Amino acid sequence: MTSILTGDIINSREVDSNEWLPLIKNAFQTIGASPKIWEIYRGDSFQIEIENIENTLLFAIKLKATLKKIKNLDVRIAIGIGDKNDNYKNITEGNGEAFIYSGLAFDTLLKKQNLAITSSDKDFDAVFNTSLALALLTMDNWTVNSADFVLKYLENPNTTQKLIAKGLKISESSASERRKRAGLDEIMQLEKLYRELINQKINQ
């Protein structure tokens, strides 16, 4: 079982690609090499495999924070979870359940929300996509400052708020306010729930 993420950059034409393209390439390179593991195509579309499906939602949240650090940018991500056929050299030529589900989520669910999951478990999909829709009410409205704070936290979740504040050159009270406005604690609760439910699916 694996996960395939299919997505595109929102408002990519409004921002010079030299600002955002290196950022997403760096994020993708932490997962593996192109074009087997990931590829950017048609300028602002992408596919990437996250083989450890426990980490899939965390990666999606990180990618969203990375892009929303740049004013006016955002990302749509469709997650497909399932099996795959490994007989390909380029991820855009891959096939199997995970690819089919990712494409299905991209073509249907992303018309209503910017992050969605499809798998063989329809009950899981229904519950979690509703949860994501609620989380996106906050995440879609992250400011540049909120996204920057979230990314700093996700890159080193064991750090203290004091150190994050120092790195951002703001007061601890300002850091606390940014954390609250970003809904970081609630989003991390959702990410933890995702891990628990995915582990249950894996161990069934």
Side-chain angles (χ1 to χ4, degrees):
M1 189 178 288
T2 190
S3 65
I4 301 295
L5 280 63
T6 303
D8 59 13
I9 314 302
I10 298 172
N11 297 329
S12 62
R13 294 181 183 180
E14 296 182 14
V15 179
D16 189 332
S17 62
N18 290 324
E19 285 191 52
W20 56 264
L21 192 54
L23 297 179
I24 63 169
K25 283 184 175 180
N26 286 341
F28 290 171
Q29 285 165 356
T30 65
I31 304 301
S34 178
K36 175 74 172 180
I37 302 300
W38 62 270
E39 185 164 14
I40 299 167
Y41 55 96
R42 292 194 313 218
D44 64 356
S45 299
F46 61 85
Q47 259 192 338
I48 181 168
E49 177 183 10
I50 310 295
E51 191 171 8
N52 184 346
I53 60 175
E54 292 180 6
N55 295 329
T56 301
L57 183 58
L58 179 62
F59 181 84
I61 295 169
K62 280 184 179 179
L63 189 59
K64 189 174 183 74
T66 297
L67 286 162
K68 286 189 74 68
K69 276 181 58 178
I70 301 172
K71 191 175 181 180
N72 297 324
L73 282 191
D74 205 341
V75 63
R76 299 192 304 158
I77 304 171
I79 300 170
I81 297 174
D83 296 327
K84 66 165 185 171
N85 182 335
D86 206 35
N87 187 26
Y88 58 86
K89 294 182 180 179
N90 186 313
I91 190 170
T92 56
E93 298 171 357
N95 59 71
E97 276 185 343
F99 287 95
I100 293 169
Y101 287 144
S102 184
L104 179 64
F106 187 86
D107 291 338
T108 58
L109 299 178
L110 293 196
K111 292 178 179 179
K112 296 181 179 179
Q113 60 193 69
N114 290 334
L115 177 59
I117 295 176
T118 299
S119 70
S120 61
D121 187 339
K122 301 310 174 189
D123 290 337
F124 168 83
D125 295 350
V127 170
F128 218 83
N129 283 321
T130 299
S131 300
L132 286 174
L134 291 170
L136 287 165
L137 294 174
T138 298
M139 295 167 66
D140 284 346
N141 290 297
W142 279 342
T143 63
V144 170
N145 286 340
S146 294
D148 197 17
F149 184 91
V150 170
L151 192 60
K152 286 282 194 302
Y153 172 84
L154 294 178
E155 287 173 343
N156 189 3
N158 294 320
T159 194
T160 64
Q161 191 162 280
K162 183 176 181 179
L163 288 175
I164 293 177
K166 186 176 180 181
L168 294 173
K169 297 180 180 179
I170 59 176
S171 67
E172 280 191 67
S173 61
S174 293
S176 177
E177 186 60 32
R178 286 190 189 184
R179 181 181 191 128
K180 190 179 298 182
R181 282 201 304 267
L184 181 59
D185 294 336
E186 292 78 11
I187 288 165
M188 294 314 296
Q189 286 175 21
L190 182 61
E191 197 274 336
K192 181 182 177 183
L193 176 62
Y194 168 83
R195 286 181 181 272
E196 291 172 354
L197 294 177
I198 284 296
N199 273 319
Q200 290 175 16
K201 287 171 67 69
I202 293 171
N203 295 323
Q204 282 177 353

